[in-house]
Amino acid sequence: MSLLASLDEAARLRVIKELADEQSGEQTGILIEALNDESWQVRRAAVDALARSCRPETLAALIAAFREQQHSLSVINGVLQVLSLAEIDVITPLVELLSAHDADLRVSAALALGDQNDPRAIPALIGALRDPDTNVRYHAIEALGKLRATEATDDLLGVAESRNFFLAFPALEALARIGDQRGASRIVPLLENDMLRVPAVETLGQLGDEQVVKPLVELLQTGRAPASSIARALATLHERYERSYGEGEFIADLVRRFIDDSGIRRLLDGLDETHGQDVRALTLIVGWLHGPTVERALVRLLGDTTVRREVLAALVRQGARVTRQLVAQLDAVDAETRQAAAVALGRIGDASAVPALIRLLEEDDDLAITAARALAAIGDRRAFDALLHQLEHPTSAVRQAAIAALNSLGHPALPKHVKRLLSDSNRLVRESAVRIAGYFGFEECVNLLFERCADDDERVRRVAIEHLPYLEDERVLPMLASALRYETPQVRAAAARAFAHIEGGESLPYLLTALGDPDPWVRYFAVSSLGRHAFPEALAALSQLAQYDPANQVRVAALKALGQIGGMRAVAVLAPFTSCGDADLERTALQALGRVGHPDALPPLLAALGSPGIERRVEVIEALSMRRETAIVEALQLEVTSSHEQRVKQAAIAALLRIGTAEAVATLIALSDDRACREECITALASLDASKIEWIARGLEHPRTTVRCAIVEALARMRSPHASEQLARALDDAEPAVRLAAISAFGHLSISHAEYKLAHLALRDSIPAVRRAAQVALQQKVR
């Protein structure tokens, strides 16, 4: 029995801590044994102890353990963690193990290389595709997929074409993960293979272009593959074209062109037979089609909450053809179906639905709100009287929906009716009338609005006070000042909020006085209004509230206001709050420091970037994105390259996009070389405005082929003549992969900037694949 086996967990942890300080050969063996402990805490402690003192003899023992215990995933993972923490190269020894005599050891090495996210492993893993052991080849394929190894595309296509299901299936999965679209045409023949047909369909959805739509639709019509699988592939292709080129509708057009009645029938049958996520894809594809059977199927799906968004979009696409059927659904038993039908009718905008929607205003609250919104969208004045009647509805949300609808109708009689309703005996009607009159500022209603500031009902007074700043009248300031001093807490809070919209410095003394109000919400809105005006005179008072106010919402508002005012004094107050222990105050202080332009705000922000929690680091990154310093760009780049958390990476990339300086763009270009975040970087670069195309195009001169290919994709997605002009430069690139990427991009763009170059490549390029691609691109434009 070993030393550790006889001890409980706490004792094992104590022993490991003692062994960490001074290791002999025997002690190293005990620590390596602990890598296979049942407790993750013991395994973690052993990793830390071994990494702390990783001498040459320790390294030799670790490699030996890797060789001898390759069946123990805990030991293998532990050894790799130790080597990584000790900053020792793990790739070289793992690559060497791919040549070991023991096949199980080669399998372990392939598995481990796939988890390292290091492109240096790719050549050796490509070599392992020819290993005599099938299991080694299998795990080499998986590892190449994890590494998104575009260099392995041709080799993996060869494996898929072998039609050996055990290897071809993971090869297709790896190809989909890598995302290299050049090989899609070689996957199409696999649709004829009974065993590989479905995975080939799914891979074509990930990699294919418009050329795969026809074979996929033809396969659908034969019934030799599940309609749900083909629908998923087409939906994925549509989404990719929409995201990358804004051409999702092109895929829908092709499906409509190639599909026949048998294909439509199989899709509709699939809707009846399929459940879960697959219904979404089927609904999307069915929504591209037309005909009575399609319309009936879509209307029938209104009651399915899992696909309601897709069904509504599909019904809107059908337009007025489905109005009659949707109106019939307004009488359905299921309330959610009725509500969805009303939403669809509003989006379609067919005025013939107005009478039915008016009747729906008298139903329960949710249906009445939906009907009011639909009537607002349609904009037919026949709904005017029915909507006016809803201004006395007991439910606030229904009244608000009716008010919004009336505002959108633009009925010429509205001012006259509102003037009358401002003096109505019903307080709910008066409140609604105040909201409409205040929104439009009807001249004939101004005096009555001031009268409502003294209404018997508190709620009416509050709403009237809130709307005063939108009136150009000398009575506004005195009325707000009086309300802020003498009214009930709710009305005082409304006045404090209204002062945010009083231009100039006239509101300052009133708001400073309101900071001492006994009601916390009055103080809250007074603080918020001071922050909106950014009055530097309020800084001392706000600092006191941030530190000592008993109401947390007031302290949060004070920190935000300090950020809006800015300056060195504000930073001095804000900085300690970044680690005060209250999550709300810490978050607000970070955001405020990000807003402050003073250089003293940067050190506390960068210090907070080292926080252990993911949420906190994302909050810090968002705060940093408000600034433009070089140090911030460098810190964000480090977060992308070093963080293991995808959310942190994504937040850092979004921050670089928001910063948008030349340095930030250059950093996004460089980061596109990282397989783990390449797509996010391409998406970010493509979303920059046209003024930054020149900065993006500098990436075409980057030494890394993968980066230049990424820039080609980003420029193509921008769909700008200037971007296309820069993109044409990539047709002269020395690397065939870049030229191919550029040719593929011009397949979705006007070729006016590149026609001569494409013709030259079609005739003269030394690479056959480039010549063929150029010829296809030219032929597509001719068609």
Side-chain angles (χ1 to χ4, degrees):
M1 179 180 290
S2 68
L3 170 65
L4 296 178
S6 60
L7 304 175
D8 62 24
E9 181 178 332
R12 299 201 301 277
L13 285 168
R14 285 197 300 272
V15 169
I16 288 171
K17 186 176 180 181
E18 292 169 2
L19 294 177
D21 297 326
E22 185 176 350
Q23 296 178 30
S24 65
E26 181 181 355
Q27 292 164 336
T28 298
I30 294 172
L31 290 173
I32 290 174
E33 176 193 341
L35 295 176
N36 202 27
D37 196 278
E38 62 183 18
S39 165
W40 70 266
Q41 292 176 306
V42 172
R43 297 197 301 272
R44 179 73 248 183
V47 166
D48 292 339
L50 288 163
R52 192 182 307 173
S53 178
C54 196
R55 298 186 295 269
E57 55 270 28
T58 306
L59 178 59
L62 288 167
I63 297 298
F66 190 98
R67 288 178 176 274
E68 295 163 6
Q69 301 188 50
Q70 69 264 23
H71 297 293
S72 171
L73 288 176
S74 296
V75 172
I76 289 173
N77 290 331
V79 169
L80 293 174
Q81 289 177 47
V82 172
L83 296 176
S84 178
L85 287 171
E87 298 185 350
I88 294 173
D89 174 29
V90 299
I91 300 301
T92 301
L94 287 174
V95 166
E96 291 175 357
L97 291 175
L98 280 178
S99 303
H101 176 72
D102 189 312
D104 288 339
L105 188 54
R106 299 200 300 278
V107 166
S108 298
L111 276 167
L113 285 168
D115 291 331
Q116 299 310 302
N117 193 29
D118 192 323
R120 291 179 299 156
I122 291 172
L125 287 167
I126 291 174
L129 296 178
R130 293 179 287 278
D131 193 282
D133 187 272
T134 303
N135 284 327
V136 175
R137 299 201 298 277
Y138 176 93
H139 289 291
I141 290 167
E142 285 200 325
L144 289 165
K146 288 181 181 179
L147 294 172
R148 295 181 172 86
T150 54
E151 304 92 323
T153 296
D154 286 336
D155 296 277
L156 291 170
L157 284 167
V159 175
E161 289 169 333
S162 73
R163 290 171 166 74
N164 176 338
F165 181 79
F166 182 72
L167 297 176
F169 182 77
L172 288 170
E173 286 190 327
L175 286 164
R177 199 165 185 176
I178 291 167
D180 189 340
Q181 298 171 22
R182 293 172 298 163
S185 61
R186 292 173 61 181
I187 298 173
V188 171
L190 298 181
L191 296 176
E192 300 301 319
N193 184 283
D194 291 341
M195 296 292 289
L196 295 173
R197 184 174 296 124
V198 171
V201 166
E202 293 173 353
T203 305
L204 286 172
Q206 297 287 337
L207 304 181
D209 58 14
E210 65 268 23
Q211 300 299 319
V212 307
V213 174
K214 185 176 182 180
L216 286 174
V217 172
E218 289 175 346
L219 179 63
L220 170 70
Q221 288 160 182
T222 66
R224 291 187 294 149
S228 57
S229 297
I230 297 172
R232 269 200 317 272
L234 291 170
T236 302
L237 183 58
H238 172 271
E239 190 275 332
R240 181 155 50 84
Y241 264 56
E242 185 61 33
R243 183 185 68 242
S244 299
Y245 313 112
E247 287 190 353
E249 188 59 27
F250 178 48
I251 300 301
D253 285 340
L254 290 175
V255 171
R256 283 192 290 269
R257 183 191 307 173
F258 297 130
I259 200 164
D260 61 19
D261 289 344
S262 65
I264 294 173
R265 186 170 58 254
R266 293 190 189 284
L267 288 171
L268 296 177
D269 289 345
L271 281 173
D272 293 332
E273 300 164 359
T274 309
H275 304 283
Q277 291 294 325
D278 286 344
V279 179
R280 284 198 172 90
L282 283 161
T283 304
L284 176 68
I285 311 307
V286 168
W288 298 342
L289 308 174
H290 301 298
T293 56
V294 168
E295 294 162 8
R296 286 194 295 272
L298 290 171
V299 171
R300 190 174 66 250
L301 282 169
L302 272 176
D304 189 338
T305 57
T306 62
V307 291
R308 182 155 295 152
R309 182 171 63 87
E310 290 80 5
V311 171
L312 287 173
L315 287 168
V316 172
R317 183 191 290 268
Q318 301 295 322
R321 290 190 301 272
V322 294
T323 297
R324 187 186 299 272
Q325 295 181 63
L326 288 171
V327 167
Q329 292 299 310
L330 294 178
D331 296 321
V333 175
D334 177 49
E336 289 190 345
T337 298
R338 301 171 73 194
Q339 198 158 342
V343 170
L345 287 167
R347 293 183 186 176
I348 290 170
D350 186 351
S352 67
V354 167
L357 289 168
I358 289 173
R359 289 195 297 274
L360 212 61
L361 289 172
E362 303 303 324
E363 298 286 345
D364 65 66
D365 290 355
D366 288 339
L367 285 169
I369 291 167
T370 304
R373 290 172 178 167
L375 289 166
I378 294 171
D380 191 300
R381 291 179 179 178
R382 286 178 293 169
F384 182 72
D385 290 336
L387 289 167
L388 276 178
H389 180 67
Q390 296 303 309
L391 297 183
E392 63 182 35
H393 198 285
T395 302
S396 174
V398 176
R399 297 197 305 275
Q400 292 283 7
I403 290 168
L406 286 165
N407 290 349
S408 71
L409 290 183
H411 199 290
L414 184 61
K416 179 184 69 175
H417 284 279
V418 169
K419 183 178 180 180
R420 172 178 57 82
L421 296 175
L422 281 169
S423 302
D424 195 274
S425 60
N426 187 321
R427 63 181 181 84
L428 299 179
V429 174
R430 296 198 304 276
E431 177 199 333
S432 300
V434 166
R435 292 186 185 278
I436 298 172
Y439 176 81
F440 284 108
F442 293 138
E443 186 176 347
E444 55 265 64
C445 297
V446 169
N447 289 333
L448 286 170
L449 274 174
F450 278 101
E451 287 183 20
R452 296 285 69 78
C453 292
D455 196 278
D456 293 338
D457 185 79
E458 180 189 50
R459 187 181 179 93
V460 176
R461 297 199 307 276
R462 178 175 63 78
V463 174
I465 288 291
E466 287 174 348
H467 285 83
L468 286 183
Y470 306 110
L471 304 178
E472 294 183 4
D473 193 293
E474 61 184 9
R475 293 172 288 179
V476 170
L477 186 62
M479 183 67 75
L480 288 177
S482 175
L484 189 60
R485 183 173 182 182
Y486 298 114
E487 264 287 4
T488 62
Q490 283 197 22
V491 179
R492 295 201 307 274
R497 183 167 52 201
F499 266 114
H501 304 287
I502 300 297
E503 299 300 328
E506 293 178 304
S507 59
L508 176 61
Y510 302 107
L511 290 171
L512 286 175
T513 300
L515 295 181
D517 195 283
D519 185 84
W521 288 108
V522 177
R523 299 197 302 276
Y524 172 86
F525 286 115
V527 168
S528 299
S529 294
L530 286 166
R532 187 179 186 279
H533 286 293
F535 289 130
E537 298 90 338
L539 199 146
L542 292 171
S543 299
Q544 289 295 308
L545 289 174
Q547 295 176 80
Y548 304 117
D549 196 279
N552 217 46
Q553 72 267 33
V554 177
R555 300 179 73 191
V556 167
L559 291 175
K560 182 180 178 181
L562 288 168
Q564 291 169 312
I565 295 170
M568 184 171 61
R569 290 171 61 198
V571 172
V573 177
L574 291 166
F577 280 96
T578 61
S579 56
C580 67
D582 183 295
D584 291 333
L585 295 175
E586 288 178 351
R587 184 184 309 109
T588 307
L590 289 169
Q591 292 169 348
L593 285 169
R595 182 185 293 272
V596 173
H598 198 279
D600 288 358
L602 186 55
L605 283 172
L606 292 176
L609 197 55
S611 303
I614 295 173
E615 291 295 335
R616 177 48 43 85
R617 286 164 66 196
V618 169
E619 291 166 1
V620 176
I621 288 169
E622 289 173 351
L624 288 170
S625 72
M626 302 179 197
R627 305 175 66 94
R628 299 291 182 270
E629 292 94 331
T630 299
I632 289 176
V633 173
E634 293 172 349
L636 292 172
Q637 182 175 18
L638 184 61
E639 283 299 303
V640 177
T641 55
S642 62
S643 176
H644 297 295
E645 299 295 337
Q646 193 63 20
R647 279 195 60 211
V648 174
K649 287 178 180 285
Q650 291 170 347
I653 289 169
L656 288 166
L657 171 63
R658 183 174 179 183
I659 291 169
T661 60
E663 284 179 300
V665 173
T667 300
L668 286 169
I669 289 170
L671 289 171
S672 68
D673 191 37
D674 186 343
R675 290 169 169 81
C677 61
R678 179 173 298 151
E679 176 57 33
E680 287 86 350
C681 289
I682 292 172
T683 301
L685 289 166
S687 65
L688 288 165
D689 62 69
S691 66
K692 294 171 183 174
I693 288 173
E694 296 282 352
W695 294 352
I696 300 169
R698 291 173 190 168
L700 294 174
E701 300 166 7
H702 197 279
R704 294 279 297 170
T705 301
T706 49
V707 172
R708 301 201 299 280
C709 287
I711 300 308
V712 165
E713 180 71 16
L715 288 169
R717 293 186 190 183
M718 296 186 81
R719 303 188 67 78
S720 154
H722 186 37
S724 297
E725 184 181 346
Q726 296 296 324
L727 181 59
R729 293 165 45 197
L731 295 171
D732 298 323
D733 198 278
E735 283 292 330
V738 180
R739 300 200 299 279
L740 280 167
I743 293 168
S744 175
F746 275 111
H748 307 284
L749 304 167
S750 167
I751 64 171
S752 58
H753 293 290
E755 192 165 6
Y756 173 79
K757 288 185 177 182
L758 285 169
H760 178 78
L761 292 175
L763 292 171
R764 306 287 183 127
D765 198 275
S766 59
I767 306 298
V770 175
R771 293 200 301 273
R772 286 195 299 272
Q775 290 162 8
V776 170
L778 289 167
Q779 290 166 2
Q780 285 176 340
K781 294 305 175 183
V782 170
R783 291 200 298 268

